[in-house]
Amino acid sequence: MSDTYAAANSMHVLQVDDRPLLDETVEFPDSRGPDSLTLTTTDRADSALDRLEGTAIDGIVAADNLPDRSGREFAEIVRERDSNVPVLLLTEPESVASDAISNGVTDVFRRDTAVARRDLLANRIRLLVEHHRSTELASRTRQQLTELAEQSSELLWVFSGDWTEIQFVNSAYETLYGRSVESLQTSPDEFMTAIHPTDQDRVIQSMQRVSAGESVELEFQITRPDGEQRWVRAKAQPIVEDGTVARIVGASRDITERKRCESEHIAEIDRPDAPVDAVPDLFYELDENGELARWNDALAAATGYTDADLGPMSLTALFAPSDRETVRQGIETAFSTGETSFEADLLTADGTTVPYEFTGGRITAADGSPLGVVGIGRDISARESRQQALEQQNKRLGEFASVVSHDLRNPLDVARGQLELAQIEHDSDHLDAVKRAHGRIGQLIDDLLTLAQNGETALDSEPVPLQTVVEQCWQTVETGDTTLELQTSTVVRADPSRLRQLFGNLIRNSVEHGQTPHTERQDDAGEQRATTSLSQSQRPAADLTLTVGELDDGFYVADDGVGIPAGERDTVFEGGYSLASGPGFGLRIVDEIVDTHGWSITVTESDAGGARFEITGVEFETA
């Protein structure tokens, strides 16, 4: 009944007893946590239930025999309303308390003991409340980690240091590998069976390097259960604790389309009669020794050298000294694995450098022997503007990670200190469970921050059909009885993964908040709470209609719910704004995605009186 996770100076406890044992305030002068209990006392169960409706209560202590009903019956009713709030039952000496726990009671305490040692009773209540707060904190942390991971189109995962246990994976695994998350959790080595036989040794070697403490990045092929082959680019980073790799966190993404385009491009320009000079990118062909054998006019134009100059030049002489080893290794990779991809600065005749991305593939004879390497190079100078947008995005992601770290670590440290005191005073298996929960919370925070630092490296725009993206998002969001109306068939230029994040968040916002009253700011930190109850605000809106349509220079998402008050429309994109009890970062992420694309977003009222988000400045893809 209390959604406060920060350690307060006092715990509010409801005492239901016609012979109350505790005063209105109980002090804990030696405690490093909450220093007092504030008690509200009533002698009847019915009046206690009335108080629960309008008061935030951290815990309950109730007598077993009440004037209007038994304490166990009272506990059952409380448990129906709140499955978590701790209830301590005061039992009589002759009472058998073994069945009380099954009736919704959290713990029992003998009244005769409490009469003699009221300090022990107060301390037992404090420990129950602290355990409850720790459990709530663990649940909230897990929820935030899951929400952050599900915002990403990348496959995010956490393995044990020896790869034998999968500790976390988001649903993108099912999209990429075509297998269920449950099957991976049951058999953590399942992903290895999908890797193409020609790549398995290389992947195993990379896994061994990560287990030894090294970060790796590699590309490999996988085969889905339906026989479809896809290309994957994976990054893995070890988490070292006490000199040992305790966990491995990473991200994987589908690069099949990129590989297909590269292969088609290389195959086209590698034909002997191919007009390579018409190719806008650099074309190169290397002989069996890794030296230039053929090139197009774009290479001469980019470097400032003539064909006569390029003929006798060593390949590495065309690159900045700091990148020549990268070039050598890239060419070696092409000869050994069949393909390569690397970035290096091209050194021009006047001494300036230009950043390029090179891809290439091995050429083989009929007997399989290597004849050379052919490939293309693409000027990536234009990435600087994208990089600036990415840095801004990562800055905002860092702000989110900072909020998670600060708002969760501080109460976690306090809870750990309280637990140490409790373990000194009591020897209980419950306290051991709390300690394990604390450790898990700390681990999840660390992994969350690590995953947050592995953001995508660039904004990859391509033609994206809005209808397809919206339908995909509709399948991944719990929409309840909400109806979707698609009034668009347009194709826009956008980053597909981020566009899915945008629609996913806007759909989730309408579904979860379409029938939720407006928020109220309740503290200086900007935290907001809905005026309805938690259970009400988290239910999917019933009989809600959500519409996605076109604008002259963009698109809109509208619903027929309660809408957003005009006075709050300027603040909905701020971090922490929420119409329910979530972390309130959904619309902040939408704003980031819009800003990264160079678009604009406004919120207004829909024709039906609900919320309408308009995204403009969008580039349409024409046939």
Side-chain angles (χ1 to χ4, degrees):
M1 297 180 184
S2 170
D3 57 3
T4 300
Y5 294 89
N9 289 331
S10 178
M11 296 175 173
H12 190 184
V13 174
L14 179 61
Q15 183 174 220
V16 189
D17 198 337
D18 57 347
R19 295 173 293 161
L21 300 179
L22 298 177
D23 298 328
E24 293 183 357
T25 301
V26 178
E27 303 291 341
F28 299 109
D30 298 329
S31 173
R32 288 192 295 174
D35 55 20
S36 66
L37 295 179
T38 299
L39 291 106
T40 298
T41 301
T42 180
D43 61 352
R44 302 180 66 84
D46 289 345
S47 60
L49 293 172
D50 291 339
R51 290 179 182 271
L52 290 175
E53 290 299 323
T55 307
I57 298 296
D58 294 310
I60 300 171
V61 54
D64 198 1
N65 297 317
L66 297 171
D68 52 346
R69 70 181 70 216
S70 73
R72 302 175 196 219
E73 292 174 338
F74 169 70
E76 288 181 344
I77 299 174
V78 170
R79 192 59 66 226
E80 291 174 357
R81 301 185 182 186
D82 190 316
S83 61
N84 295 317
V85 64
V87 179
L88 178 66
L89 186 69
L90 289 175
T91 62
E92 300 298 335
E94 66 277 5
S95 174
V96 178
S98 59
D99 63 337
I101 303 299
S102 63
N103 292 345
V105 174
T106 309
D107 200 359
V108 296
F109 202 91
R110 284 183 48 162
R111 174 176 284 276
D112 56 345
T113 302
V115 171
R117 292 292 305 275
R118 302 190 181 197
D119 58 324
L120 293 180
L121 172 62
N123 194 54
R124 177 71 66 87
I125 297 172
R126 178 174 66 89
L127 292 176
L128 288 176
V129 172
E130 287 174 355
H131 179 243
H132 169 61
R133 287 182 173 178
S134 297
T135 303
E136 294 276 285
L137 182 60
S139 175
R140 186 183 181 191
T141 303
R142 185 179 294 274
Q143 177 185 356
Q144 289 185 322
L145 173 61
T146 302
E147 287 176 353
L148 177 62
E150 292 301 333
Q151 293 297 330
S152 175
S153 63
E154 288 193 339
L155 166 57
L156 304 178
W157 42 266
V158 180
F159 271 90
S160 59
D162 58 1
W163 299 92
T164 60
E165 178 189 357
I166 181 70
Q167 298 179 354
F168 175 83
V169 63
N170 65 350
S171 59
Y173 175 76
E174 300 180 349
T175 302
L176 180 54
Y177 278 77
R179 294 166 168 83
S180 69
V181 168
E182 290 76 13
S183 66
L184 180 64
Q185 291 170 335
T186 302
S187 302
D189 60 348
E190 176 190 69
F191 77 97
M192 283 297 300
T193 64
I195 297 175
H196 195 276
T198 58
D199 292 329
Q200 284 198 0
D201 287 344
R202 194 160 50 87
V203 173
I204 291 174
Q205 292 172 5
S206 297
M207 292 168 62
Q208 292 171 344
R209 288 163 53 195
V210 181
S211 292
E214 179 182 349
S215 297
V216 301
E217 184 173 345
L218 75 160
E219 298 177 357
F220 52 89
Q221 295 182 82
I222 64 170
T223 303
R224 292 160 50 93
D226 58 6
E228 180 186 8
Q229 291 191 342
R230 306 198 70 80
W231 274 95
V232 176
R233 185 179 185 88
K235 302 177 184 178
Q237 180 175 336
I239 304 296
V240 180
E241 295 178 354
D242 299 326
T244 302
V245 176
R247 296 178 304 284
I248 299 168
V249 301
S252 305
R253 63 184 307 187
D254 190 336
I255 58 170
T256 305
E257 186 63 21
R258 193 199 81 190
K259 287 289 187 179
R260 183 190 64 79
C261 293
E262 291 174 357
S263 298
E264 291 178 354
H265 198 174
I266 291 174
E268 177 65 21
I269 64 179
D270 191 37
R271 292 187 296 107
D273 60 341
V276 295
D277 288 332
V279 177
D281 296 322
L282 304 187
F283 165 76
Y284 67 91
E285 184 177 326
L286 309 181
D287 60 23
E288 65 273 14
N289 297 316
E291 294 297 340
L292 274 173
R294 183 175 165 214
W295 59 89
N296 65 350
D297 289 344
L299 179 61
T303 61
Y305 291 110
T306 65
D307 288 343
D309 295 326
L310 290 170
M313 290 181 66
S314 168
L315 175 65
T316 54
L318 291 173
F319 295 91
S322 59
D323 288 336
R324 289 172 183 172
E325 182 59 29
T326 298
V327 174
R328 279 191 287 266
Q329 292 180 359
I331 300 306
E332 290 177 2
T333 300
F335 276 106
S336 62
T337 69
E339 58 187 40
T340 189
S341 176
F342 60 90
E343 294 181 8
D345 286 350
L346 202 64
L347 184 63
T348 67
D350 62 6
T352 60
T353 58
V354 183
Y356 268 78
E357 179 185 49
F358 292 89
T359 56
R362 181 178 57 202
I363 310 170
T364 57
D367 62 359
S369 60
L371 297 177
V373 173
V374 63
I376 58 174
R378 181 169 293 117
D379 186 344
I380 56 174
S381 301
R383 282 188 181 176
E384 292 185 2
S385 58
R386 288 184 178 182
Q387 186 63 31
Q388 292 175 356
L390 177 64
E391 290 174 356
Q392 182 67 19
Q393 178 193 17
N394 287 342
K395 178 182 177 182
R396 290 169 177 169
L397 186 59
E399 293 173 359
F400 178 85
S402 176
V403 169
V404 174
S405 179
H406 179 271
D407 287 0
L408 296 184
R409 283 191 191 279
N410 285 353
L412 177 60
D413 290 341
V414 172
R416 281 172 167 163
Q418 295 168 351
L419 178 61
E420 290 176 5
L421 287 178
Q423 289 180 313
I424 293 174
E425 298 174 1
H426 301 278
D427 181 13
S428 170
D429 292 340
H430 294 299
L431 299 181
D432 292 337
V434 174
K435 184 176 182 179
R436 290 193 296 270
H438 288 170
R440 181 59 177 157
I441 295 170
Q443 172 185 319
L444 289 175
I445 293 173
D446 290 339
D447 293 346
L448 170 61
L449 297 179
T450 301
L451 289 172
Q453 293 164 2
N454 287 333
E456 294 182 349
T457 58
L459 183 69
D460 297 325
S461 294
E462 60 184 65
V464 184
L466 283 186
Q467 180 176 351
T468 300
V469 171
V470 174
E471 289 175 344
Q472 290 173 346
C473 295
W474 194 257
Q475 298 302 317
T476 61
V477 176
E478 185 178 349
T479 55
D481 296 329
T482 305
T483 301
L484 173 65
E485 291 188 0
L486 273 172
Q487 299 179 3
T488 177
S489 59
T490 190
V491 178
V492 302
R493 288 202 65 85
D495 184 300
S497 64
R498 291 189 174 125
L499 191 61
R500 283 192 291 270
Q501 292 176 4
L502 181 146
F503 277 111
N505 283 10
L506 289 180
I507 291 171
R508 186 176 293 106
N509 179 77
S510 290
V511 171
E512 293 181 352
H513 310 316
Q515 294 184 338
T516 303
H518 68 84
T519 60
E520 297 178 355
R521 293 190 177 272
Q522 299 201 5
D523 55 44
D524 294 338
E527 185 179 5
Q528 303 168 7
R529 292 286 177 251
T531 56
T532 56
S533 69
L534 178 63
S535 59
Q536 178 184 356
S537 65
Q538 288 183 337
R539 286 198 302 265
D543 302 327
L544 188 75
T545 298
L546 186 141
T547 305
V548 178
E550 298 178 21
L551 300 171
D552 291 340
D553 61 342
F555 52 89
Y556 68 87
V557 177
D559 62 54
D560 57 357
V562 298
I564 300 174
E568 298 183 16
R569 293 171 188 168
D570 291 337
T571 60
V572 295
F573 300 112
E574 298 177 3
Y577 183 97
S578 176
L579 291 172
S581 60
F585 282 91
L587 294 181
R588 173 67 175 273
I589 294 172
V590 169
D591 189 46
E592 290 179 0
I593 296 170
V594 168
D595 185 62
T596 302
H597 281 83
W599 303 336
S600 299
I601 185 169
T602 56
V603 58
T604 183
E605 183 176 314
S606 69
D607 294 340
R612 175 179 168 117
F613 294 87
E614 297 184 350
I615 293 87
T616 55
V618 179
E619 178 183 354
F620 293 131
E621 184 73 12
T622 57

